[in-house]
């Protein structure tokens, strides 16, 4: 157990991989505070608690920390706000921790993948169905374009195989020259490029895509 490991002064620990996360999200106006807190509790606060608990052992052994983030930490959008916000927070946290750990010989890497094959998609669908039952018909009607576009875009997501992320984690833990950030998949690279555009342009591109997706649904 975690408590046993921390009490054992002779125990060694070289690598820590923070992988826990949930992919639920939704329109900001329709996201209850309880759900927003739950997203941050898993995607951000839980990661902090685990990292803080193991940092003494990691520092002692000049080890590695690998945080699993998301391409959504570079680009947010309609119905992605709550999830993206938690991953933005993680990326900022990761940057600060990376600099702090350099003085101890510890390397901190961020894995930022696009959509990945996992059970997270089934859970996201279930969450979407449950949360919509709690939203008033009037609010759903007001956001009809975003709802239709979200459904259409979600159905067209093509997750990449998990091994791409596994390979990146392995490299971050074992390579002599681990990267600071691993962008995994085409979507992650595009998100990083998209985030560098002037907001006036990116907003227009986003809304244009939303309108087209809503019209094709």
């Amino acid at each position: 157990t975690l408590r046993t490991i921390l009490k054992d002064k002779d125990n060694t620990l070289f690598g820590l991989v923070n992988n826990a996360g949930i992919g639920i999200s939704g329109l900001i106006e329709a996201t209850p505070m309880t759900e927003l807190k739950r997203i941050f509790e898993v995607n951000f606060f839980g990661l902090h608690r685990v990292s803080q608990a193991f940092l003494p052992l990691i520092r002692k052994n000049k080890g590695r920390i690998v945080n699993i983030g998301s391409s959504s930490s570079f680009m947010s959008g309609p119905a992605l706000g709550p999830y993206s916000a938690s991953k933005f927070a993680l990326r900022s946290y990761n940057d600060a921790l990376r600099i702090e750990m350099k003085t101890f010989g510890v390397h901190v890497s961020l894995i930022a993948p696009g959509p990945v094959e996992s059970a997270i998609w089934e859970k996201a669908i279930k969450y979407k169905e449950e949360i919509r039952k709690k939203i008033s018909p009037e609010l759903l009607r007001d956001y009809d374009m975003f709802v239709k576009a979200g459904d259409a875009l979600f159905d067209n997501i093509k997750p990449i195989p998990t091994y791409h992320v596994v390979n990146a984690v392995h490299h971050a833990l074992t390579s002599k020259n681990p990267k600071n950030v691993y962008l995994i998949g085409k979507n992650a690279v595009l998100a990083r490029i998209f985030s560098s555009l002037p907001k006036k342009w990116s907003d227009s591109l986003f809304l244009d895509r939303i309108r087209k997706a809503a019209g094709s649904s």
Side-chain angles (χ1 to χ4, degrees), residues 117-176:
E117 293 176 351
S118 74
I120 198 171
W121 301 106
E122 288 77 12
K123 294 178 181 178
I125 292 173
K126 184 178 179 181
Y127 174 80
K128 180 175 66 173
E129 293 172 348
E130 291 176 351
I131 202 68
R132 282 187 184 176
K133 294 177 183 178
K134 302 176 183 179
I135 301 175
S136 69
E138 293 79 15
L139 191 58
L140 280 175
R141 188 163 53 247
D142 288 343
Y143 284 98
D144 181 65
M145 179 180 71
F146 293 106
V147 171
K148 288 181 178 179
D151 288 344
L153 294 172
F154 187 91
D155 290 340
N156 289 319
I157 289 176
K158 297 179 180 179
I160 61 176
T162 308
Y163 71 81
H164 290 293
V165 176
V166 174
N167 289 343
V169 172
H170 181 267
H171 187 274
L173 289 173
T174 64
S175 173
K176 291 183 179 180

Side-chain angles (χ1 to χ4, degrees), residues 6 18 39 42 58 74 77 87 89 95 137 139 144 174:
L6 296 180
N18 286 306
I39 294 168
V42 177
I58 293 290
F74 293 100
K87 293 300 184 178
D95 286 344
L139 191 58
D144 181 65
T174 64

Side-chain angles (χ1 to χ4, degrees), residues 33-68:
M33 181 59 73
T34 53
E35 291 302 308
L36 186 61
K37 288 182 177 179
R38 183 160 74 97
I39 294 168
F40 269 81
E41 185 62 39
V42 177
N43 291 358
F44 185 70
F45 295 121
L47 178 145
H48 171 64
R49 280 194 290 270
V50 173
S51 297
Q52 195 172 53
F54 284 114
L55 277 174
L57 288 173
I58 293 290
R59 288 194 294 106
K60 176 183 176 182
N61 295 290
K62 300 184 185 299
R64 305 278 177 86
I65 298 174
V66 181
N67 292 319
I68 308 298

